[in-house]
Amino acid sequence: RDLVRSRGLGDVYKRQVVDDEDRTWIGTKSGVTKIVFRALTLRQKAAIYETEIEQVIKRTSYGYLAPVRLETPGDRSEVHRGDNDNDGLWTSMFGASQCFAFGATGDDVSKKRAEQAFEALRFLQVVTQGGEHSPPNGYVARTIRSTTLPDPNIGRIERDREQQKNRDRLWKVYEPRWPTSADGQWYWKSDTSSDELDGHYFFYALYHDLVAETKTEKDRVKDVVRKLTDHLIDNGYSLTDHDGLPTRWGFFGPKDLNHNEDWYVERGLNSLSLLSYLTVAEHVTGETRYSERIKELREHDAYHANAMVPKVQRGVGSGNQSDDEMAFMSFYNLLRYTKDDGLRRRLLKAFYAYWTLEQPELNPFFNVAYAACAEGQTVSDPWGEHEVKPWEGWLKDSIDTLKAFPLDRSSWGHQNSHRLDLVPLPPQQSVDVFSSSRGARGLRVNGKVLPVDERYFNHWNTDPFQFDYPGDGRGLGCGTVFLLPYYMSLYHGYID
């Protein structure tokens, strides 16, 4: 206040000044605010996110990652933690970041975090067995919650019926959706989706290669991967629940993907995922029977052809970011671990075509995952041999995004649709095929999405083409969106 008055700027509530140390002072009705610039390395920034994950976000003794609600907007002093359908996926992606961190730095703290993530994901397979409602061996739950909390099954069947009747004809209606573990300590959530499997396999391969050091540690990974993969094989390439039927999104077999109209949209992505699962299984266990399954799926069911077009898209901005996230994890695993050079070269073409649609999204995870598979590689067609390295500027885009992430990941709303530097997408790309518009969507005039500090999202599965983002500051985004691409870049040598 004295500074403002000494400069002769009058009413403190309506003025701001910059002092001799380049600090900005702003007077408001609530008091005086000081804004300063403080330089951080990306490593220091990573440590801030990791501390918040450890102290605020993780839940249960296993350390699952799930969305957090804040009692007071922006205030971390009182938080509400709860389960989420994709706990397995979010825990996998954080665990993967710590595998890359340990692989790049040898930091023991990163190793311990990766080990905790492995035990959490392994428990999702263990908790489903031995109780009154046990699915076939190898099945993994979505998540868990303590039985000391209210029963999540109460009122659930009515919501499931409404979902099936009005929103999703294929939605499953059955009880219990939350069975109880054999020891009675946990509810575990069933109807696990393909999102979870993509996350599990992405993590297990990295954990096996970069973190597990002793034979005992590696054998534990092999056991989990073998059980999960054999579950899929033994049940006709489906993730089969305790009711004896596949989960809503757990269909990977040719009967459905190739011959059931309801699954044509998922044909490419689920074919890619299954090929990736089997490839990881052979890589981790060393058992060639999994590559024999791949050969059978190629020769009899054209899975390699299905995977060439993972998603039905109509140009930039027309995809589904949740599916994109899954596809990039599956591509990364399959291309890095397959021993079939013909399959690798074929799917590298598909990955290139996919990445070109994602390039405007400024997504460092997508960029680094693609670069790690494609740099220095070529593909051939009738017109010659072609490089498929990522386009010039991909690394700058990625680092700029990492720099721009706000340290405050509270869910503050953002309004951008009034801006003159934004252009809408054409209707073919901005409207869902069989539903209404997704709202105001588009790009900046430079052909790229809004920077990450001008919009809000929790995970990379959020639509970056939206102009406006609701928010009240009571949600808390997880730092995994920074940590995974940062440590992945560090491990692959793109960042010093």
Side-chain angles (χ1 to χ4, degrees), residues 122-278:
R122 178 180 176 273
F123 187 68
L124 292 180
Q125 189 178 84
V126 172
V127 73
T128 64
Q129 301 301 301
E132 181 182 355
H133 302 93
S134 288
N137 190 36
Y139 181 95
V140 293
R142 280 185 178 271
T143 186
I144 60 171
R145 61 182 281 162
S146 172
T147 50
T148 61
L149 296 173
D151 186 347
N153 293 296
I154 297 175
R156 177 79 202 205
I157 195 72
E158 290 79 9
R159 295 194 298 273
D160 285 342
R161 290 185 178 123
E162 190 275 334
Q163 173 93 346
Q164 185 187 73
K165 179 180 179 181
N166 298 317
R167 288 178 284 173
D168 182 355
R169 175 170 51 84
L170 301 181
W171 190 254
K172 292 183 65 175
V173 178
Y174 68 105
E175 290 188 289
R177 187 167 289 267
W178 288 84
T180 305
S181 61
D183 61 9
Q185 294 186 36
W186 303 101
Y187 294 112
W188 59 267
K189 193 168 190 179
S190 58
D191 202 29
T192 306
S193 76
S194 52
D195 306 53
E196 270 46 66
L197 296 192
D198 286 324
H200 278 260
Y201 278 100
F202 181 62
F203 169 78
Y204 289 141
L206 293 170
Y207 185 79
H208 175 270
D209 289 0
L210 303 181
V211 179
E213 297 174 308
T214 68
K215 182 179 184 299
T216 299
E217 289 173 333
K218 288 186 180 293
D219 284 346
R220 283 167 61 81
V221 188
K222 291 178 182 179
D223 180 62
V224 172
V225 171
R226 185 184 293 113
K227 285 178 179 177
L228 177 53
T229 311
D230 288 351
H231 171 100
L232 295 172
I233 293 172
D234 294 343
N235 291 281
Y237 296 119
S238 73
L239 187 61
T240 299
D241 221 322
H242 67 80
D243 62 352
L245 299 173
T247 66
R248 168 63 180 90
W249 298 104
F251 291 81
F252 300 92
K255 179 180 178 183
D256 290 291
L257 298 189
N258 286 348
H259 304 287
N260 186 337
E261 184 181 354
D262 286 332
W263 284 93
Y264 94 95
V265 173
E266 311 298 332
R267 178 184 302 156
L269 181 57
N270 282 20
S271 294
L272 172 66
S273 292
L274 183 58
L275 293 177
S276 177
Y277 302 162
L278 293 168

Side-chain angles (χ1 to χ4, degrees), residues 416 419 422 444 448-452 454-455 464 466-467:
N416 296 294
R419 290 167 49 161
L422 302 180
R444 288 178 290 161
K448 297 178 181 180
V449 299
L450 290 160
V452 292
E454 296 173 25
R455 51 192 171 94
Q466 287 178 230
F467 289 158

